[in-house]
Amino acid sequence: MKTAFAWACAFAMSAAAALPAHAAPPAPEVVPLWPADQWPSPVRGPERTGRDGSASGAVSNVSQPRMEIYRPERPNGSAAVIFGGGGYFRIQIGGAARPTALWLQSIGVTAAVVYYRLPGDGWSPVSPFQDGQRAMRLMRARAAELGVDPQRIGVIGFSAGGNLAGIVGTRFDAPLYPPLDAADRESARPDFLAMIYPVVSLKPPLDTTRSRRELGKQADAVEAYSVEAHVRRDMPPVFLAQAADDPIADIGHSLAMFQATRAIGVPVELHAFERGGHSWGLGQPGTLVAQWPRLFAHWARSHGFFGAAAAAPAQDKPATPKPAARRDDADGD
């Protein structure tokens, strides 16, 4: 039986195979988020990548915050900054963020996978949100070079990464760090916000996640990092997808975000799947939750991203490797 990480690797190879033979995807470009030694690091030892169980493909001990940028052969002008989940003590790169980047790359979207600093590694709770703002600004500063429209750059976040994406999408003008260079003159506001099985709130009764514990090291974390408390009329449109039987992040997180945004007139779409659990990445073929990439791509086109809504290519549905056993990330969100 394949592990989730093995399934993700199989997807990556299938996504590459879906492209024309002459168009093998280039290796991602690695871009540091900050100048060297910008933040004194509490991390000791090398970065770690999990190999077993729910940790398969998850990265921790991050000392060098950075992006991996996946550039399509024919960019369509849109880009997405991707935050994997992991309860702020690791980042699910192999099982969620990288497969999503490869799928987006295959349909012409420039994708950036963010390796953000983790409170679970000893970084301050504000660190991932500083990294999220900086990633958005760097992508916008490099838009012309990347063949991207600076007004078509959004964020996608999974689980705890959904919380990070949500705070970037609502608190984009909060002064979380002092400006460093020309890139910091750019807006950190995403143009669209996708939250997949997200952690939204740190407030009761939704305060049962690992994210709540890790961010709670900051005295005002509940108010500062509960996304629904910061929704605003000038935030981007929102796409939500979650399973009703999610045992890690209760479906109430997505419902809270849906209700808060709808109440103030922010465009929002919610897909609540009957079954699926937690930490499913792109979704295993044949499952209900595997519909979300197609639904998201169609939604994005309806808002003017990813090209025209009437011209959805076949690759909207990710390549389908053999299914693996469903994985619920019982160790974190």
Side-chain angles (χ1 to χ4, degrees), residues 13-29:
M13 290 186 289
S14 297
L19 295 173
H22 62 83
E29 175 189 1

Side-chain angles (χ1 to χ4, degrees), residues 204-291:
L206 300 173
D207 59 342
T208 59
T209 61
R210 178 69 180 262
S211 295
R212 167 65 178 88
R213 298 207 306 274
E214 295 294 346
L215 295 176
K217 298 166 187 175
Q218 180 176 318
D220 66 345
V222 171
E223 184 59 32
Y225 306 131
S226 290
V227 183
E228 81 283 10
H230 299 284
V231 297
R232 49 198 282 184
R233 294 182 187 277
D234 60 345
M235 67 180 288
V238 180
F239 177 93
L240 296 155
Q242 191 166 11
D245 66 350
D246 192 326
I248 304 299
D250 188 90
I251 187 65
H253 286 274
S254 285
L255 295 175
M257 189 66 181
F258 178 83
Q259 291 167 349
T261 49
R262 186 170 181 270
I264 61 171
V266 173
V268 58
E269 180 162 310
L270 167 63
H271 295 275
F273 300 105
E274 179 184 354
R275 297 183 305 279
H278 190 75
S279 196
W280 21 268
L282 286 173
Q284 295 170 23
T287 62
L288 294 172
V289 295
Q291 300 175 80

Side-chain angles (χ1 to χ4, degrees), residues 112-169:
V113 173
V114 181
Y115 290 67
Y116 52 90
R117 290 170 293 155
L118 296 164
D121 287 338
W123 292 99
S124 66
V126 74
S127 299
F129 306 104
Q130 293 171 328
D131 292 348
Q133 284 189 346
R134 178 71 172 175
M136 276 299 307
R137 289 174 172 138
L138 286 174
M139 285 294 285
R140 196 157 270 132
R142 298 189 59 189
E145 171 194 346
L146 294 170
V148 167
D149 181 341
Q151 296 184 344
R152 293 168 60 192
I153 304 174
V155 291
I156 303 173
F158 299 85
S159 196
N163 176 261
L164 173 48
I167 293 298
V168 173

Side-chain angles (χ1 to χ4, degrees), residues 53-201:
S54 63
S56 294
V59 172
S60 60
N61 224 40
V62 176
S63 61
Q64 302 297 324
R66 62 196 186 275
M67 294 187 290
E68 288 179 348
I69 299 181
Y70 292 76
R71 301 177 66 161
E73 183 186 28
R74 297 180 182 87
N76 64 19
S78 290
V81 175
I82 304 170
F83 304 113
Y88 290 111
F89 74 104
R90 62 191 183 200
I91 309 170
Q92 188 45 262
I93 299 291
R98 185 177 296 129
T100 300
L102 288 166
W103 164 61
L104 290 170
Q105 181 187 45
S106 76
I107 63 170
V109 178
T110 302
V113 173
V114 181
Y115 290 67
Y116 52 90
R117 290 170 293 155
L118 296 164
D121 287 338
W123 292 99
S124 66
V126 74
S127 299
F129 306 104
Q130 293 171 328
D131 292 348
Q133 284 189 346
R134 178 71 172 175
M136 276 299 307
R137 289 174 172 138
L138 286 174
M139 285 294 285
R140 196 157 270 132
R142 298 189 59 189
E145 171 194 346
L146 294 170
V148 167
D149 181 341
Q151 296 184 344
R152 293 168 60 192
I153 304 174
V155 291
I156 303 173
F158 299 85
S159 196
N163 176 261
L164 173 48
I167 293 298
V168 173
T170 55
R171 299 187 62 200
F172 47 84
D173 52 2
L176 299 184
Y177 63 90
L180 299 177
D181 51 29
D184 284 327
R185 292 196 290 268
E186 301 287 346
S187 172
R189 179 190 180 276
D191 295 301
F192 57 86
L193 169 58
M195 304 170 73
I196 314 302
Y197 45 89
V199 174
V200 171
S201 185

